[in-house]
Amino acid sequence: MAKILLSLHGFHSSPASLKARQLDEYIKENHPEITFICPQLPSLPGQMWELIDAIFEQYCDDDIAVVGSSLGGYLATKVAQHYKCRVILVNPAVTPYRLLQVYEGIQTHPYTGDVYQIDNDYMQQLKALDVTNIEQPVLFWVLIQEGDEVLDYRQAMTKYQGCKISCEKAGDHSFIGFERYIPDIIKFLF
């Protein structure tokens, strides 16, 4: 059984994000037995879930764990609930269907050039992925920085109470110093 680490990036981000690169480099240097996968997520939430589903289908006989940041953390919450796998959430979005209302209208993805619309249908696709009750808190480790300028960290503190939480003062949405946690992340996930 192979070990797979799936990394899910945030809204309008890409596999080239700093956290994904740091994870990839650490795994290559220290854990060659782990396969690191960080796909470019599609723009629409329904398609994001289809891609995640396809990855789990492809690696159904393997041990899969997930790291999700921001919107990727929201998706990883659904993954943990659906597939019963361990996840790391980094400054996770708790209610992105509210947060992203300010982006309503035509969008161009900054990394893919994909043109799409954030509208009621988009929000309904996001809401369909919501997890209101964490069934197995033991599967979660949530990393939060109070200085997150995009998300209110208190929402995550409330939603994920009962889960393992590391909350730091200051910081920002990117989670400054993420690399400090990588060795312990790998131990937690595998």
Side-chain angles (χ1 to χ4, degrees):
M1 180 186 296
K3 293 178 180 176
I4 310 293
L5 178 54
L6 173 60
S7 178
L8 301 174
H9 62 72
F11 177 72
H12 279 183
S13 188
S14 79
S17 74
L18 178 60
K19 288 184 289 296
R21 290 196 324 265
Q22 289 171 332
L23 279 168
D24 190 28
E25 288 167 17
Y26 181 85
I27 287 169
K28 281 179 180 156
E29 289 174 17
N30 301 283
H31 291 281
E33 76 282 6
I34 298 173
T35 300
F36 180 74
I37 300 171
C38 185
Q40 176 64 59
L41 294 173
S43 298
L44 300 179
Q47 293 173 358
M48 292 175 192
W49 185 254
E50 287 171 11
L51 175 63
I52 292 165
D53 222 18
I55 290 168
F56 271 82
E57 196 172 303
Q58 179 181 352
Y59 295 100
C60 62
D61 296 326
D62 298 315
D63 183 12
I64 306 178
V66 180
V67 174
S69 179
S70 192
L71 181 59
Y74 178 78
L75 296 168
T77 301
K78 176 74 172 176
V79 170
Q81 198 88 326
H82 188 78
Y83 288 105
K84 311 295 184 231
C85 69
R86 288 185 173 267
V87 296
I88 304 288
L89 310 181
V90 184
N91 284 335
V94 174
T95 54
Y97 42 85
R98 290 195 189 108
L99 183 72
L100 295 179
Q101 286 174 342
V102 297
Y103 292 95
E104 209 166 323
I106 301 293
Q107 295 293 316
T108 302
H109 194 289
Y111 293 95
T112 66
D114 185 31
V115 177
Y116 67 100
Q117 187 157 346
I118 293 184
D119 55 12
N120 189 51
D121 181 55
Y122 181 96
M123 296 306 180
Q124 291 309 313
Q125 288 180 42
L126 264 183
K127 282 183 183 172
L129 299 172
D130 197 18
V131 172
T132 53
N133 183 37
I134 306 297
E135 291 172 4
Q136 291 186 277
V138 70
L139 297 175
F140 291 79
W141 182 9
V142 186
L143 303 175
I144 300 169
Q145 287 186 332
E146 292 180 14
D148 187 333
E149 71 284 5
V150 176
L151 303 171
D152 181 348
Y153 78 94
R154 293 168 296 193
Q155 290 182 340
M157 293 292 288
T158 300
K159 177 163 186 145
Y160 297 102
Q161 61 187 342
C163 301
K164 178 177 180 175
I165 296 177
S166 297
C167 182
E168 297 183 347
K169 301 276 185 208
D172 68 15
H173 188 59
S174 72
F175 199 93
I176 294 170
F178 172 75
E179 69 281 356
R180 296 170 290 141
Y181 284 91
I182 295 177
D184 289 332
I185 283 171
I186 300 303
K187 284 179 196 150
F188 176 84
L189 293 176
F190 298 105

